[in-house]
Amino acid sequence: GAVVSQHPSWVICKSGTSVKIECRSLDFQATTMFWYRQFPKQSLMLMATSNEGSKATYEQGVEKDKFLINHASLTLSTLTVTSAHPEDSSFYICSAYRDEQETQYFGPGTRLLVL
Amino acid sequence: LAKTTQPISMDSYEGQEVNITCSHNNIATNDYITWYQQFPSQGPRFIIQGYKTKVTNEVASLFIPADRKSSTLSLPRVSLSDTAVYYCLVGDPLRAGNNRKLIWGLGTSLAVNP
């Protein structure tokens, strides 16, 4: 199967700091990656679509200046939560789209806690 | 919206076959049906994907009737480790676009008992 990794798996930070989360497709190239967030007992909510070599596409209600996305290579996308606040605490999950299978494969997720 | 409807929860016992049905009345002609499994504090894991009729892999089978307005994920002989949330997703996130936005429902919480 396709393997997607995320780093870090969990992070605790102070309010006002920025946190970067990496998403890597380990055994395939992904022109497109997706970023989701998930609150406890709730479903996944798509935040943005990350496109290699171009700007990310954000879902309605997601602040692009707060959630910076960079997709610099075909195997790496990063999500930076800028000036994090406690309400940004959540489980962030990325997925990488595998073109030949027309399927997205998910990373293990990153738990963010903002104090 | 590519909306799906699944039972909120199901209970089963070890060794039984479990069938989880998902309704997707507004499925589009080009939409695939994909099922994922999610354990607490982990990302969803791909289980199976299909377009029509029946698809089988090493972990599950997917049954899709001719009208494609529903699909059934079949897990043979479940074990305790199959306790998880199962999501049915219709469509392609890459081609969803504004008028075919993919929505993740709450999924089906499967509890496998000893």
Side-chain angles (χ1 to χ4, degrees):
Chain A
V3 182
V4 178
S5 70
Q6 275 184 248
H7 178 81
S9 56
W10 59 269
V11 57
I12 302 173
C13 70
K14 293 182 179 179
S15 186
T17 61
S18 294
V19 174
K20 179 186 282 188
I21 303 170
E22 293 186 349
C23 177
R24 295 181 185 272
S25 54
L26 299 185
D27 54 357
F28 67 99
Q29 294 183 330
T31 306
T32 305
M33 293 183 175
F34 302 94
W35 287 96
Y36 296 82
R37 66 189 297 181
Q38 185 177 33
F39 292 106
K41 303 291 185 182
Q42 295 189 24
S43 192
L44 280 74
M45 291 194 64
L46 180 65
M47 298 175 65
T49 301
S50 172
N51 304 295
E52 188 269 336
S54 63
K55 291 182 179 180
T57 304
Y58 290 83
E59 294 299 300
Q60 192 172 9
V62 178
E63 299 176 55
K64 61 181 180 181
D65 294 331
K66 179 168 184 62
F67 298 100
L68 300 179
I69 291 173
N70 185 283
H71 195 151
S73 77
L74 289 173
T75 59
L76 173 64
S77 174
T78 61
L79 169 70
T80 301
V81 183
T82 62
S83 186
H85 288 96
E87 57 265 31
D88 297 323
S89 298
S90 187
F91 191 51
Y92 292 86
I93 311 170
C94 74
S95 72
Y97 189 84
R98 193 164 192 175
D99 291 329
E100 59 267 30
Q101 294 177 297
E102 298 186 32
T103 300
Q104 55 179 330
Y105 291 90
F106 288 85
T110 297
R111 176 76 60 190
L112 170 64
L113 177 60
V114 184
L115 302 177
Chain B
L1 301 179
K3 186 178 178 182
T4 61
T5 303
Q6 304 173 232
I8 293 295
S9 63
M10 292 182 70
D11 277 282
S12 184
Y13 293 91
E14 284 189 289
Q16 288 190 334
E17 177 185 80
V18 171
N19 296 309
I20 306 174
T21 297
C22 177
S23 296
H24 29 80
N25 291 317
N26 64 344
I27 189 169
T29 303
N30 297 327
D31 285 344
Y32 280 85
I33 301 158
T34 310
W35 284 80
Y36 291 91
Q37 175 193 55
Q38 187 179 28
F39 297 111
S41 297
Q42 293 188 28
R45 183 177 77 99
F46 173 85
I47 301 175
I48 198 166
Q49 179 176 267
Y51 183 78
K52 62 180 179 180
T53 62
K54 177 184 175 183
V55 180
T56 297
N57 62 22
E58 62 275 9
V59 298
S61 294
L62 179 59
F63 298 91
I64 305 169
D67 65 7
R68 304 199 331 119
K69 292 184 182 298
S70 66
S71 59
T72 298
L73 173 72
S74 181
L75 304 173
R77 300 181 59 80
V78 294
S79 63
L80 296 178
S81 62
D82 292 317
T83 294
V85 178
Y86 292 82
Y87 294 97
C88 161
L89 203 65
V90 169
D92 186 329
L94 195 64
R95 295 166 180 74
N98 290 328
N99 62 342
R100 291 290 298 168
K101 188 180 293 292
L102 295 185
I103 301 293
W104 286 72
L106 288 174
T108 298
S109 181
L110 172 66
V112 180
N113 303 292

